[in-house]
Structure formats: structure tokens, C-alpha cells
Amino acid sequence: MDRPLYEKIADQIAHQVHEGIFLPGSKIPSVRKSSKQMEVSVATILQAYSLLEDRGVIKARPQKGYFVQEHQPQKIEPAKIAPAENDGNTHALLKRLLRPSQNDKLIQFDATVPASQFLPIRQLQRSVGRLMRLAPEICTAYEFTPGSLNLRRQIAIRMLDTGCQLQPDDITITLGCQNALMLSLQAVANAGDTIAIESPTYHGILQAIEVLNLKAIEVPCLSEGGIDLDLLDKAAMEWDIKACIVTPNNQNPTGASLSSPSRKRLIELSKQHNLTLIEDDVYGELSYLGKRERALKADDTNDSIIYCSSFSKSIAPGFRIGWVIGGHFQQRIEHHAYVQSLATPTLTQTAIANFLENGAYDRHLRKTRMTYQENLSRCQSLILEHFPVGTQVSSPKGGFLLWVTLPDSVNTMQLHEKALENGIGILPGLAFSLTSQFSHHFRLNYALSWDNKTDAALRRLGQLCHQ
Ligand SMILES: Cc1ncc(COP(=O)(O)O)c(C=O)c1O
């Protein structure tokens, strides 16, 4: 499928920015001027500029025009596009790397959860206390799969913001998003099958692939635009790919989001190559744009996209409440869920349903998203000031994870060890791929209580890169 003209124009301008033709902070030609120069319509240029804004390359300033962003999104090097047999070591490496993230004596840049001050702990505490006093039977009854009807109703209401029109019966409650992803993979693939994943990707996906004896094709995820669709298309022509797991919003670890045209194209590709999309939307509620992006699932005309999410990143990771919308795989997913865990946690489901019902969730989200955005710009500036020349940082438009690319000479496994000795946790790039291509990258969580100590830790980390 030939790419639309505006996408080609956007790529051409992004290339000019990367080549330094347009410098960070400088103005690019107006829409009208570009339209004349390139002999295309004003509407096409507007579409190209809007795509470049989505990718974090340029920014519109009202009445002033379009400017190149100060912090340019980084380009992630292509991974080898071929199914990788899992060597069975992923879990061991990850266990070792993730252990420090539970040590609250460290500055936890390595955690994948926000600091407790960003979670509605007090409201949940009150709710759980009240439930235990007034309805103790909640602890003695099984809430069989698919889970609490009231919670599924609340989820169906919230999913309207993503463009999905659902019935509670379309939804199965799971033990977090990890469980939802596992169940989805089990429903669509058998041992030996090949799954396309973003590269770098969330390490839990690598572990699920390992334990299910699947093969992974790592498709580069560009921090300015998400999964590289041209390469996905190429890979799907060459290999028999059963499913593709994507995180369209604020991907872990790059923070990348897919633009609307890319979402459409991804759905087209999935139909064309008959591969099931597994949509992981665990960071979807944390968009700084203030409104939910449309889910892939909302444009699923043949009911074949599986949507997974949870409340772990915005309400309570320890409650382990997630959900899956399985489309025509729903029955298989529910069957697996039932056999694996029989029932779902009653107390935490009810507490979350009550929290969603009383309207406090949106207020809570507005506050946290604002703080994350403030932390992000502080973090980006500190890194660019104190880290080696050539360091690049991503520009997420939501979530709380930053992807840092250091010069090739810095090995982030070694940096991780040195950082631990200095009381600082970071997650090295090796945790996010089956290959060693991200050996000079690391991921940083900025949903921390930010103070002088955090600033000092980042400065120290910058010094450690030089040692
Ligand atoms: C992209 C992504 N998907 C899924 C999960 C798992 O979420 P949960 O804690 O709800 O199982 C995580 C957690 O870090 C994640 O980053």
C-alpha cells in the first residue's frame, strides 16, 4: 500500500530536522509557503504538520507558526527483523534487574509504578475500611470469572472515551494487565508460533513469550511515531505472524504514541496479513493531551482486536485489577481465566468500582498528569545539561517513563551497577529486548516525589556516565 502524500512530506521534514537543516527552536516555513514550495494543497501540509506535532518533531505556537521542538525525539535503531528463539534466560535476567525497583531506600527511577503520592491511597483506604465493616461477606464469597458486574459496567462507561461501545459481558476482569496479555496470547497462539512485538518493548511481554514457547519478531518502535509500520508490513510478508502486541499510547519504554493515520494503517495491515492485534492500553488514561486517544478496538470492524488494560498505573498496582476485551476470542480467554484462577479478587474490585462511580477518578487523573508533565520537563533539562554530549531523551506525551539513549561508549548494565552503589535505580535497555541492541539505553520513571534529592541523583547519574 502506497503511503499517503502527507506522511511522505512529514518524513521529509523530519529528515531535514534530523540533518540539522532546521535547528531546535527555529521556525519552519508557514503552511502556505510549504504548500507553494511543494506544490501541494494547504490541507495536505496541515495534515503533515499535524503528524509532525504528534511525533513530537514540531510544535504550533498560536499566531506565530510552527517551530522545531527543543527536545527532539530520538531515532531508535532498527532491530533485526527475524523471529528470535527465546534462549530461556529472559526471566533470570529480568528478575535480577527488577529486584532493586522494590527497594524503597533507592531513588526509584527504575520502578514501573508511580510513587504512592500519585495514587489515590487515602480514598481507597476509606473505601476498603468501609467495605470490611459493612459487608464482610465480600471476603468469603467467590466472584467467579468474568468478575464483578458493577466494575465491568464502570469499565464499559470509561471505555466510551476511547470510542468503544461495549456491554459488561464483553469484558473479563483479570489479575492486572500482565494476566490479560498472557490470556490473550494463550487464546491466539500455540507453542512455536511467531508474535510481532515492538522493539524495545515492555519486559513482561518478553517473559510471556518465553514461558509460552513462542517466537518473537522485534519490530523497531520509533520514539517519535511508535511501531515502524513499513517494517511490520515487510516482516508479515516474509513470516507467518500470528499476532502483534502494540501499546498505541505512551509505550513502555519509549513513551511513543501512534498517530491517528498510523492507527488506521495498523488495522489495515492486520487485516491484510490476517494477524491478530493485541492492544495494550495500560497507559492510555495518562495522556497529557487531557483526552483519551481512540482505541484501535473502537475501529475493529471484524471483532478481532484484543484490548488489554488495568488500573495498575493510575489507581493501585497492588490491587491487581485489569481487564481484557477479547472480541471473538472472548470465550477462549474467559475459559483460560476461569481454569487458571477460578475467581477474581472481590474486595479490590469493589473498592475500584466505588472509586470510579463516585467521580473522583478524573480529578485524580488531572492532577497526576499535570505533575508528571512538570517532572518530565525538569528531568529532560537535567539530563541534557548533565549527561554526556550526544545523549538523547524521548518526549512522551503521557505516562511517566522516559527513554534515554547514551553515546555508544556507555554500557548501561555497568551504569546500572554503579548507580545502585550510589543509591539510584535505573532499568538498563537490555531489559527491553531479546537482543543486545539497547546496551547504551536506559528507562527512567519520573513519577517520583521530585525534590533536591531527585535532582542530585540525576546529576550524579550524569557523572557516572563519564566514569
Ligand atoms: C506496557 C505494560 N503492559 C502491561 C503491564 C502490566 O501491568 P499490570 O501491573 O497491570 O499487570 C505493564 C507494567 O509495567 C506495562 O508497562
Side-chain angles (χ1 to χ4, degrees):
M1 192 172 62
D2 202 18
R3 289 183 313 132
L5 179 60
Y6 71 90
E7 226 177 282
K8 291 183 190 160
I9 292 174
D11 287 348
Q12 188 184 325
I13 298 170
H15 182 70
Q16 287 163 344
V17 169
H18 283 122
E19 290 298 303
I21 296 167
F22 295 121
L23 293 172
S26 67
K27 191 167 179 207
I28 62 166
S30 69
V31 172
R32 237 160 247 297
K33 192 162 174 195
S34 283
S35 140
K36 273 204 191 120
Q37 276 174 343
M38 297 185 202
E39 296 179 354
V40 298
S41 71
V42 164
T44 305
I45 297 293
L46 274 172
Q47 268 183 306
Y49 281 14
S50 146
L51 184 57
L52 286 167
E53 277 195 282
D54 276 357
R55 293 178 179 175
V57 177
I58 60 170
K59 192 174 173 56
R61 291 203 199 128
Q63 270 133 38
K64 294 212 167 96
Y66 289 87
F67 291 78
V68 178
Q69 288 271 30
E70 290 288 351
H71 300 298
Q72 272 308 303
Q74 59 215 111
K75 193 125 183 120
I76 291 169
E77 310 90 78
K80 207 171 88 214
I81 306 280
E85 294 282 357
N86 214 300
D87 64 8
N89 285 329
T90 315
H91 182 59
L93 171 73
L94 286 168
K95 243 173 99 179
R96 183 156 70 85
L97 292 178
L98 295 173
R99 199 171 300 130
S101 68
Q102 285 160 347
N103 178 352
D104 59 12
K105 300 237 162 21
L106 297 176
I107 306 258
Q108 290 168 312
F109 291 132
D110 51 347
T112 323
V113 290
S116 57
Q117 72 177 94
F118 300 116
L119 300 170
I121 307 283
R122 241 177 303 136
Q123 288 103 311
L124 296 175
Q125 223 171 12
R126 277 200 297 272
S127 168
V128 168
R130 203 170 39 241
L131 283 169
M132 290 300 288
R133 259 195 331 277
L134 303 179
E137 68 281 3
I138 215 162
C139 297
T140 55
Y142 273 129
E143 178 72 72
F144 288 107
T145 296
S148 147
L149 178 60
N150 191 21
L151 179 60
R152 288 184 289 126
R153 236 187 241 130
Q154 294 301 323
I155 292 173
I157 293 171
R158 285 208 77 80
M159 291 290 301
L160 289 172
D161 290 343
T162 68
C164 293
Q165 310 264 349
L166 301 164
Q167 300 298 321
D169 283 350
D170 299 325
I171 300 168
T172 302
I173 301 295
T174 58
L175 301 174
C177 188
Q178 178 70 24
N179 183 218
L181 291 169
M182 232 356 234
L183 291 165
S184 306
L185 282 172
Q186 285 174 315
V188 302
N190 295 310
D193 284 345
T194 298
I195 309 294
I197 57 174
E198 297 156 320
S199 183
T201 195
Y202 158 57
H203 41 77
I205 291 172
L206 301 177
Q207 286 170 300
I209 283 179
E210 177 179 78
V211 93
L212 294 173
N213 267 319
L214 299 168
K215 289 184 211 157
I217 284 190
E218 298 197 22
V219 182
C221 179
L222 308 168
S223 60
E224 68 264 41
I227 190 163
D228 187 324
L229 296 175
D230 289 336
L231 289 179
L232 176 64
D233 189 18
K234 232 162 100 188
M237 280 190 241
E238 198 170 335
W239 309 96
D240 179 17
I241 301 178
K242 266 274 150 53
C244 173
I245 307 183
V246 278
T247 309
N249 298 310
N250 318 311
Q251 196 252 6
N252 176 6
T254 60
S257 294
L258 283 177
S259 64
S260 312
S262 297
R263 285 171 205 249
K264 282 206 186 93
R265 182 160 174 231
L266 177 58
I267 296 174
E268 282 309 313
L269 285 180
S270 74
K271 286 186 191 156
Q272 196 181 322
H273 295 293
N274 195 23
L275 56 90
T276 302
L277 288 178
I278 301 178
E279 176 175 20
D280 178 346
D281 197 24
V282 77
Y283 298 97
E285 292 272 28
L286 298 176
S287 162
Y288 305 152
L289 307 174
K291 76 178 214 346
R292 292 294 301 265
E293 291 290 344
R294 195 170 170 80
L296 300 176
K297 183 75 194 158
D299 296 311
D300 178 14
T301 46
N302 33 4
D303 212 19
S304 64
I305 297 178
I306 305 180
Y307 178 100
C308 303
S309 193
S310 79
F311 296 109
S312 302
K313 307 302 171 189
S314 47
I315 300 186
F319 275 21
R320 308 306 300 135
I321 301 297
W323 69 97
V324 54
I325 301 158
H328 65 244
F329 297 99
Q330 188 72 9
Q331 272 192 349
R332 284 179 75 176
I333 289 176
E334 231 172 86
H335 185 185
H336 279 287
Y338 181 88
V339 174
Q340 288 173 29
S341 49
L342 197 62
T344 52
T346 45
L347 183 61
T348 54
Q349 277 186 90
T350 316
I352 288 186
N354 290 350
F355 181 63
L356 297 181
E357 226 166 0
N358 79 17
Y361 190 33
D362 284 315
R363 271 199 306 283
H364 161 76
L365 285 174
R366 266 197 298 277
K367 247 177 36 201
T368 50
R369 285 190 299 237
M370 247 166 59
T371 317
Y372 295 163
Q373 229 175 334
E374 284 163 17
N375 286 2
L376 168 64
S377 57
R378 194 158 165 180
C379 211
Q380 286 173 320
S381 307
L382 277 164
I383 292 177
L384 292 176
E385 193 178 337
H386 296 282
F387 280 52
V389 177
T391 299
Q392 293 178 303
V393 291
S394 56
S395 289
K397 295 202 188 73
F400 48 83
L401 302 171
L402 194 66
W403 185 237
V404 183
T405 306
L406 294 165
D408 292 0
S409 56
V410 185
N411 177 316
T412 48
M413 282 300 272
Q414 286 166 10
L415 182 66
H416 161 75
E417 296 296 335
K418 285 188 252 176
L420 282 182
E421 288 163 17
N422 283 266
I424 305 166
I426 57 162
L427 204 50
L430 289 190
F432 301 98
S433 168
L434 297 170
T435 71
S436 54
Q437 63 180 308
F438 301 114
S439 61
H440 54 287
H441 303 69
F442 73 90
R443 193 199 68 192
L444 186 146
N445 166 12
Y446 52 86
L448 302 184
S449 160
W450 213 276
D451 56 19
N452 292 340
K453 262 167 83 179
T454 340
D455 281 352
L458 266 191
R459 282 197 294 270
R460 180 74 189 127
L461 206 50
Q463 286 165 356
L464 293 174
C465 295
H466 296 284
Q467 289 176 9

